[in-house]
Amino acid sequence: MHEFLKDYGFVEFLQKNRVHEGDIVYLYITRPYKRIENKMIVEKMDIPWYDVFDCRAYSLSDSPSLPVESELCVRLKLLDRVISSDLSLEHLQEHGLRGTMQGNRIADEGLTEYIESVFAKNNNHGT
């Protein structure tokens, strides 16, 4: 995903959550990093399977796939990137994240303020 974001400035995912165009989404990067790195905006929703960008060339999976006919996707556009240990799972939990980062989460106001403060503090180190 890192290389694809660098080359294209967006990613598309299966549309699973209650997001709307214009919503801000923070992408959590799993192992070995285990932190939020990317601040995204929901640019487009309800993308049908036949309009999804074919990014299989960037996949680390042995058998990458595209969505099936019944699935819709959402496009997230990159707004900012920060690499900071302040956005690690442990720090996010200290600031209100409950549980782990399995699946989509909706951050409460306190956690969102914390995440935004880290992006603001590190603004010159983004994309």
Side-chain angles (χ1 to χ4, degrees), residues 69-120:
E69 192 170 327
S70 62
E71 296 175 320
L72 295 174
C73 289
V74 59
R75 178 177 286 186
L76 305 176
K77 180 181 174 185
L78 181 64
L79 294 177
D80 198 3
R81 182 166 187 237
V82 167
I83 298 173
S84 171
S85 62
D86 291 337
L87 292 174
S88 69
L89 179 60
E90 294 78 22
H91 280 90
L92 296 172
Q93 289 172 330
E94 289 171 8
H95 288 87
L97 176 69
R98 295 182 187 168
T100 63
M101 291 299 281
Q102 294 178 339
N104 301 331
R105 300 270 187 210
I106 297 175
D108 65 22
E109 188 175 333
L111 181 57
T112 300
E113 287 176 6
Y114 172 72
I115 294 168
E116 281 295 321
S117 73
V118 175
F119 272 90

Side-chain angles (χ1 to χ4, degrees), residues 49-66:
W49 65 274
Y50 51 81
D51 281 339
V52 171
F53 192 89
D54 186 352
C55 62
R56 289 178 289 181
Y58 289 84
S59 177
L60 299 176
S61 170
D62 290 337
S63 57
S65 62
L66 290 173

